[in-house]
Structure formats: structure tokens, C-alpha cells
Amino acid sequence: MVVGRRQAIREGWLHRVAVTVCRDERGRILVHRRSEQLSRFPGLYEVMVGGAVNVGESYIQAAARELAEELGIRVLPRLLFTFLNRSGLSPHWLGVHEAVVPDAMAADADEVAWHGWLTEPELRSALLEWRFTPDSHEAFSRYLAFRTARS
């Protein structure tokens, strides 16, 4: 049976989500604030860009599609790891990607109210001071641990 993300969330069923940590050429990380019109987490900040993985779609395909939809950029992100994320509205498999993206982008105003580039120390401070989505905290800490283990 194929179900949509809304039904999966409502029923508490596992589903897949693909997100990407976007970096620029200088290593800064893209942070954005969700539009106030969004049904989930309106006005909260996010460290990652992403969304649901469609049936028959890979994590990488979904991440690339979401980057095009939300930021108007076409890049192929690199899948780093997946984990069962229990934060947020319901449990879901989260595929965390990384991509180097251009500074110039055409963010979808229906989804992104603001975006900017932060260094890792600036982002660590912002995570303590700004209101971020539940996924942002856990996924970003796992992302940093993954990068540390690889270096």
C-alpha cells in the first residue's frame, strides 16, 4: 500500500525524508527560516533543506529534487548516512546529504522566508539562541560527528 507523508505522520508510520546540509565554497553552512505559511514548523529555522522521499525515489534523487524546488539550484548531493529519527512529528528514516552550492539561489518564498550563510561557530551559537526545527538539532550534531570521524 502506498501512502502519503501526511497520512504517515498522522498514523505514526515510518517514512523516508531526505535532507541536505548546504555549504558554500568557503565552508559556511546555509541556514534558512521556514515560511510562516507552512503547516509544519512555520517560522522555525533549519540547518538542512529537504523533504519526503517519494515512492520509487532514492534518497539522493529526493534530496536533489528538494534543492531544486526550495532553492532553485541543480546539484547532486552526496549521501552521508541515514538514521531513524524520532524527533519531529513522527518517526522517520532521515537520509543526511551534503552539497556545495552556489551563493546565488532563487529560494521559493512559499517555503523559505529568509536564508543566510553561517560559519560553524556562528551556527553552534544560533542553535542555542534561535528556534530551530527538532530535526535540525539531532541531524546536525550527527552530521558534525560524522565529519569528525572522517577527518
Side-chain angles (χ1 to χ4, degrees), residues 21 23 27 29 78 80-81 97-100 120 124 140-151:
V21 175
R23 290 183 169 269
I29 299 166
R78 182 172 59 103
L80 303 179
F81 58 90
H97 301 74
E98 182 179 57
V100 175
E120 280 189 28
R124 288 176 197 263
F140 190 66
S141 67
R142 287 178 182 251
Y143 168 78
L144 291 176
F146 178 88
R147 284 178 45 102
T148 300
R150 297 287 176 174
S151 51

Side-chain angles (χ1 to χ4, degrees), residues 51-77:
V53 178
N54 294 326
V55 174
E57 193 175 41
S58 71
Y59 281 109
I60 293 173
Q61 290 167 329
R65 176 181 48 75
E66 290 289 340
L67 288 169
E69 290 174 5
E70 294 185 25
L71 302 179
I73 57 175
R74 302 229 181 266
V75 298
L76 188 60

